[in-house]
Amino acid sequence: MLSQILSPSVLILLAGGVQICGYLLINQTYLRLTMLCSTSLYILYYFHAAETPLWGAIIISSMTLVTILIGLATLYARNSSWSVPDAHKDIYPLFDELMPGDFGKVMRLSKRETLTEDRIVTQEGDDPETLIFVTKGTFLVQKGKVRFDVPGPTFIGEVAYLRNAPSAATTTLRAGNEIVVWSRSTLARNTRTAPRLKLAFDALISRDLAKKVSLAVSPDAEHH
């Protein structure tokens, strides 16, 4: 009975069927698990398909198996909470669009600080060199003759970053503001080589923009 179940014709059908099902999956973990299963079945098939094992195919399939296992380990590391840097675990909930591993990569490109004095970080019409996320505190924004306060947590310079355009307003951070700062050029260079990370980070910024729009009021109401 077992020999019939493990016959080459059954093994190749099972391996091909599992592989085809895997290609229908979007979830990367499930996809790799089905590829792991189908590759294992192919290896069994190569052992029994001929009078002597097909060692060339077995070796290549075994290498493929190892590659799949490495991919699964990488996915696990990216999705696991232990990959969030200890120094930034307190603010990770503010970046929940990013997977833990991606968050760690982004934070390694940043500088986090608490201001001891007021600082102008963007000038209307100028190209800002940084993208800033205010994790705590309220800062001052001036657009033309209109001035208004904006509470964190929120980004500063996100429109200029997304559009690669000059700043739309002058922004002054106040002493006591807690911020995360990225160099625009460094961030753009690193996300350019990691499309998935760029999509996730851009989605985070877009969500922040949508939140600002939903909370926006007429500038005249804030004019003073």
Side-chain angles (χ1 to χ4, degrees), residues 17 31 81 103 148 180 198:
L31 170 60
S81 58
F103 174 72
F148 51 96
V180 180
K198 176 175 171 54

Side-chain angles (χ1 to χ4, degrees), residues 31-44:
L31 170 60
R32 282 171 168 78
L33 286 173
T34 55
M35 292 301 101
L36 186 70
C37 181
S38 66
T39 302
S40 300
L41 289 169
Y42 276 123
I43 291 174
L44 285 175

Side-chain angles (χ1 to χ4, degrees), residues 39-72:
T39 302
S40 300
L41 289 169
Y42 276 123
I43 291 174
L44 285 175
Y45 169 76
Y46 296 139
F47 267 111
H48 298 286
E51 292 184 3
T52 58
L54 305 175
W55 290 112
I58 291 171
I59 291 172
I60 294 298
S61 295
S62 297
M63 293 172 64
T64 302
L65 203 67
V66 171
T67 303
I68 294 170
L69 288 171
I70 292 173
L72 280 169

Side-chain angles (χ1 to χ4, degrees), residues 50-112:
E51 292 184 3
T52 58
L54 305 175
W55 290 112
I58 291 171
I59 291 172
I60 294 298
S61 295
S62 297
M63 293 172 64
T64 302
L65 203 67
V66 171
T67 303
I68 294 170
L69 288 171
I70 292 173
L72 280 169
T74 302
L75 276 175
Y76 175 76
R78 196 183 83 202
N79 298 336
S80 298
S81 58
W82 57 261
S83 60
V84 175
D86 290 338
H88 306 301
K89 282 185 176 180
D90 59 320
I91 63 171
Y92 176 60
L94 302 176
F95 294 82
D96 58 4
E97 291 281 347
L98 301 177
M99 301 302 292
D102 293 337
F103 174 72
K105 291 178 182 178
V106 167
M107 292 308 296
R108 281 193 288 272
L109 302 173
S110 71
K111 177 184 178 183
R112 188 177 175 186

Side-chain angles (χ1 to χ4, degrees), residues 1-14 41 44-45 48:
M1 183 68 177
L2 184 60
S3 61
Q4 291 178 343
I5 294 175
L6 296 178
S7 66
S9 58
V10 172
L11 285 172
I12 194 66
L13 285 174
L14 285 174
L41 289 169
L44 285 175
Y45 169 76
H48 298 286

